[in-house]
Amino acid sequence: MFQDPSAMVLELPGAHASIRRTQLKDNIEAGLITLGDGARVRYWFCSHHLVEGGDLGAPLFRLPDGSNLWMDGYFCCEIDPPEDSLVSVVALRSFAEAMDGQSP
């Protein structure tokens, strides 16, 4: 599937201190989010600016238990969730479900 961000050099800072990221050749942003409880979430993101046809863009989050959390829209140019969604997997999941389908 996608390259594993936990095996990459993540040279770019994210929107929050808990996010590290890199830009892949195919315009996919890949990164790691370290949540407040210490859990690490891998993600891949494509901005709506880079998709033809009016797509909302989308991140895919790989949660610590190996499950995937897919979300359409909300983010514009990078992964920038509200701070309170970064405290735990439960908080991130709640945020993603509430904001899924929102136009960036």
Side-chain angles (χ1 to χ4, degrees):
M1 188 169 152
F2 297 117
Q3 294 174 282
D4 184 350
S6 61
M8 294 180 203
V9 174
L10 303 174
E11 72 279 2
L12 302 172
H16 304 281
S18 60
I19 301 174
R20 298 294 300 167
R21 62 194 180 99
T22 192
Q23 195 69 37
L24 303 177
K25 291 179 186 174
D26 55 3
N27 292 317
I28 301 292
E29 176 183 319
L32 277 173
I33 302 170
T34 303
L35 300 174
D37 63 4
R40 292 174 47 150
V41 174
R42 295 173 284 172
Y43 75 86
W44 299 265
F45 169 65
C46 183
S47 170
H48 70 109
H49 294 295
L50 302 174
V51 180
E52 293 183 33
D55 192 287
L56 293 175
L60 169 66
F61 299 100
R62 173 94 20 93
L63 303 177
D65 68 0
S67 65
N68 292 327
L69 177 60
W70 183 265
M71 185 179 170
D72 283 323
Y74 185 80
F75 300 109
C76 184
C77 297
E78 68 179 316
I79 296 296
D80 185 8
E83 286 283 347
D84 62 353
S85 69
L86 299 176
V87 297
S88 68
V89 170
V90 170
L92 181 61
R93 185 181 296 279
S94 293
F95 161 75
E97 289 171 356
M99 297 299 138
D100 185 43
Q102 299 293 315
S103 181

